[in-house]
PDB file of all heavy atoms in Angstrom:
ATOM      1  N   VAL A 246       2.775  12.558 -22.752  1.00  0.00           N
ATOM      2  CA  VAL A 246       3.974  11.715 -22.839  1.00  0.00           C
ATOM      3  C   VAL A 246       4.548  11.806 -24.257  1.00  0.00           C
ATOM      4  O   VAL A 246       5.766  11.922 -24.410  1.00  0.00           O
ATOM      5  CB  VAL A 246       3.595  10.261 -22.545  1.00  0.00           C
ATOM      6  CG1 VAL A 246       4.841   9.325 -22.792  1.00  0.00           C
ATOM      7  CG2 VAL A 246       3.179  10.077 -21.073  1.00  0.00           C
ATOM      8  N   ALA A 247       3.675  11.853 -25.278  1.00  0.00           N
ATOM      9  CA  ALA A 247       4.132  11.950 -26.689  1.00  0.00           C
ATOM     10  C   ALA A 247       4.904  13.261 -26.863  1.00  0.00           C
ATOM     11  O   ALA A 247       5.942  13.275 -27.530  1.00  0.00           O
ATOM     12  CB  ALA A 247       2.934  11.878 -27.619  1.00  0.00           C
ATOM     13  N   LYS A 248       4.435  14.358 -26.310  1.00  0.00           N
ATOM     14  CA  LYS A 248       5.115  15.672 -26.451  1.00  0.00           C
ATOM     15  C   LYS A 248       6.454  15.619 -25.763  1.00  0.00           C
ATOM     16  O   LYS A 248       7.455  16.107 -26.329  1.00  0.00           O
ATOM     17  CB  LYS A 248       4.215  16.713 -25.772  1.00  0.00           C
ATOM     18  CG  LYS A 248       4.873  18.098 -25.734  1.00  0.00           C
ATOM     19  CD  LYS A 248       4.977  18.785 -27.073  1.00  0.00           C
ATOM     20  CE  LYS A 248       5.438  20.220 -26.950  1.00  0.00           C
ATOM     21  NZ  LYS A 248       5.624  20.852 -28.251  1.00  0.00           N
ATOM     22  N   LEU A 249       6.542  15.005 -24.584  1.00  0.00           N
ATOM     23  CA  LEU A 249       7.829  14.868 -23.888  1.00  0.00           C
ATOM     24  C   LEU A 249       8.771  13.996 -24.713  1.00  0.00           C
ATOM     25  O   LEU A 249       9.995  14.305 -24.807  1.00  0.00           O
ATOM     26  CB  LEU A 249       7.616  14.345 -22.515  1.00  0.00           C
ATOM     27  CG  LEU A 249       8.849  14.111 -21.662  1.00  0.00           C
ATOM     28  CD1 LEU A 249       9.652  15.379 -21.507  1.00  0.00           C
ATOM     29  CD2 LEU A 249       8.487  13.544 -20.303  1.00  0.00           C
ATOM     30  N   GLU A 250       8.313  12.903 -25.234  1.00  0.00           N
ATOM     31  CA  GLU A 250       9.129  12.014 -26.015  1.00  0.00           C
ATOM     32  C   GLU A 250       9.712  12.709 -27.258  1.00  0.00           C
ATOM     33  O   GLU A 250      10.881  12.487 -27.643  1.00  0.00           O
ATOM     34  CB  GLU A 250       8.340  10.781 -26.440  1.00  0.00           C
ATOM     35  CG  GLU A 250       8.063   9.846 -25.294  1.00  0.00           C
ATOM     36  CD  GLU A 250       7.170   8.658 -25.653  1.00  0.00           C
ATOM     37  OE1 GLU A 250       6.456   8.801 -26.710  1.00  0.00           O
ATOM     38  OE2 GLU A 250       7.147   7.649 -24.975  1.00  0.00           O
ATOM     39  N   GLN A 251       8.903  13.578 -27.875  1.00  0.00           N
ATOM     40  CA  GLN A 251       9.388  14.368 -29.018  1.00  0.00           C
ATOM     41  C   GLN A 251      10.514  15.309 -28.598  1.00  0.00           C
ATOM     42  O   GLN A 251      11.521  15.424 -29.294  1.00  0.00           O
ATOM     43  CB  GLN A 251       8.246  15.132 -29.605  1.00  0.00           C
ATOM     44  CG  GLN A 251       7.191  14.286 -30.336  1.00  0.00           C
ATOM     45  CD  GLN A 251       5.986  15.122 -30.775  1.00  0.00           C
ATOM     46  OE1 GLN A 251       5.914  16.368 -30.572  1.00  0.00           O
ATOM     47  NE2 GLN A 251       5.016  14.470 -31.424  1.00  0.00           N
ATOM     48  N   ALA A 252      10.336  15.964 -27.411  1.00  0.00           N
ATOM     49  CA  ALA A 252      11.348  16.877 -26.933  1.00  0.00           C
ATOM     50  C   ALA A 252      12.642  16.101 -26.569  1.00  0.00           C
ATOM     51  O   ALA A 252      13.760  16.580 -26.797  1.00  0.00           O
ATOM     52  CB  ALA A 252      10.819  17.579 -25.687  1.00  0.00           C
ATOM     53  N   VAL A 253      12.508  14.904 -26.037  1.00  0.00           N
ATOM     54  CA  VAL A 253      13.640  14.064 -25.725  1.00  0.00           C
ATOM     55  C   VAL A 253      14.385  13.726 -26.983  1.00  0.00           C
ATOM     56  O   VAL A 253      15.641  13.779 -27.039  1.00  0.00           O
ATOM     57  CB  VAL A 253      13.226  12.764 -24.970  1.00  0.00           C
ATOM     58  CG1 VAL A 253      14.379  11.771 -24.859  1.00  0.00           C
ATOM     59  CG2 VAL A 253      12.728  13.129 -23.579  1.00  0.00           C
ATOM     60  N   GLU A 254      13.686  13.311 -28.003  1.00  0.00           N
ATOM     61  CA  GLU A 254      14.316  12.945 -29.283  1.00  0.00           C
ATOM     62  C   GLU A 254      15.068  14.115 -29.873  1.00  0.00           C
ATOM     63  O   GLU A 254      16.176  13.893 -30.407  1.00  0.00           O
ATOM     64  CB  GLU A 254      13.238  12.447 -30.220  1.00  0.00           C
ATOM     65  CG  GLU A 254      13.758  11.856 -31.552  1.00  0.00           C
ATOM     66  CD  GLU A 254      12.715  11.298 -32.436  1.00  0.00           C
ATOM     67  OE1 GLU A 254      11.509  11.295 -32.003  1.00  0.00           O
ATOM     68  OE2 GLU A 254      13.028  10.958 -33.617  1.00  0.00           O
ATOM     69  N   LYS A 255      14.528  15.320 -29.806  1.00  0.00           N
ATOM     70  CA  LYS A 255      15.213  16.516 -30.344  1.00  0.00           C
ATOM     71  C   LYS A 255      16.485  16.768 -29.595  1.00  0.00           C
ATOM     72  O   LYS A 255      17.507  17.101 -30.162  1.00  0.00           O
ATOM     73  CB  LYS A 255      14.268  17.699 -30.251  1.00  0.00           C
ATOM     74  CG  LYS A 255      13.133  17.690 -31.243  1.00  0.00           C
ATOM     75  CD  LYS A 255      12.242  18.930 -31.110  1.00  0.00           C
ATOM     76  CE  LYS A 255      11.113  18.931 -32.081  1.00  0.00           C
ATOM     77  NZ  LYS A 255      10.191  20.083 -31.951  1.00  0.00           N
ATOM     78  N   ARG A 256      16.443  16.662 -28.252  1.00  0.00           N
ATOM     79  CA  ARG A 256      17.601  16.880 -27.425  1.00  0.00           C
ATOM     80  C   ARG A 256      18.703  15.865 -27.758  1.00  0.00           C
ATOM     81  O   ARG A 256      19.892  16.186 -27.834  1.00  0.00           O
ATOM     82  CB  ARG A 256      17.263  16.826 -25.954  1.00  0.00           C
ATOM     83  CG  ARG A 256      16.490  18.016 -25.455  1.00  0.00           C
ATOM     84  CD  ARG A 256      17.311  19.269 -25.523  1.00  0.00           C
ATOM     85  NE  ARG A 256      16.560  20.387 -24.936  1.00  0.00           N
ATOM     86  CZ  ARG A 256      16.772  20.903 -23.738  1.00  0.00           C
ATOM     87  NH1 ARG A 256      17.698  20.433 -22.939  1.00  0.00           N
ATOM     88  NH2 ARG A 256      16.072  21.936 -23.333  1.00  0.00           N
ATOM     89  N   GLN A 257      18.317  14.641 -27.913  1.00  0.00           N
ATOM     90  CA  GLN A 257      19.301  13.553 -28.198  1.00  0.00           C
ATOM     91  C   GLN A 257      19.965  13.776 -29.557  1.00  0.00           C
ATOM     92  O   GLN A 257      21.204  13.623 -29.689  1.00  0.00           O
ATOM     93  CB  GLN A 257      18.613  12.188 -28.191  1.00  0.00           C
ATOM     94  CG  GLN A 257      18.229  11.750 -26.818  1.00  0.00           C
ATOM     95  CD  GLN A 257      17.452  10.441 -26.782  1.00  0.00           C
ATOM     96  OE1 GLN A 257      16.706  10.129 -27.758  1.00  0.00           O
ATOM     97  NE2 GLN A 257      17.598   9.664 -25.737  1.00  0.00           N
ATOM     98  N   LYS A 258      19.182  14.235 -30.588  1.00  0.00           N
ATOM     99  CA  LYS A 258      19.743  14.543 -31.872  1.00  0.00           C
ATOM    100  C   LYS A 258      20.702  15.735 -31.799  1.00  0.00           C
ATOM    101  O   LYS A 258      21.755  15.728 -32.411  1.00  0.00           O
ATOM    102  CB  LYS A 258      18.651  14.803 -32.891  1.00  0.00           C
ATOM    103  CG  LYS A 258      17.829  13.615 -33.297  1.00  0.00           C
ATOM    104  CD  LYS A 258      16.763  13.967 -34.287  1.00  0.00           C
ATOM    105  CE  LYS A 258      15.960  12.730 -34.741  1.00  0.00           C
ATOM    106  NZ  LYS A 258      14.830  13.057 -35.694  1.00  0.00           N
ATOM    107  N   LYS A 259      20.299  16.730 -31.006  1.00  0.00           N
ATOM    108  CA  LYS A 259      21.143  17.890 -30.851  1.00  0.00           C
ATOM    109  C   LYS A 259      22.474  17.579 -30.174  1.00  0.00           C
ATOM    110  O   LYS A 259      23.510  18.052 -30.572  1.00  0.00           O
ATOM    111  CB  LYS A 259      20.392  18.954 -30.001  1.00  0.00           C
ATOM    112  CG  LYS A 259      21.036  20.234 -29.844  1.00  0.00           C
ATOM    113  CD  LYS A 259      20.196  21.201 -29.032  1.00  0.00           C
ATOM    114  CE  LYS A 259      20.903  22.555 -28.893  1.00  0.00           C
ATOM    115  NZ  LYS A 259      20.022  23.538 -28.096  1.00  0.00           N
TER     116      LYS A 259
END
Side-chain angles (χ1 to χ4, degrees):
V246 175
K248 174 71 173 177
L249 178 57
E250 288 175 340
Q251 290 173 1
V253 168
E254 187 177 354
K255 288 181 180 178
R256 288 294 182 102
Q257 288 175 329
K258 289 181 178 178
K259 185 178 180 179

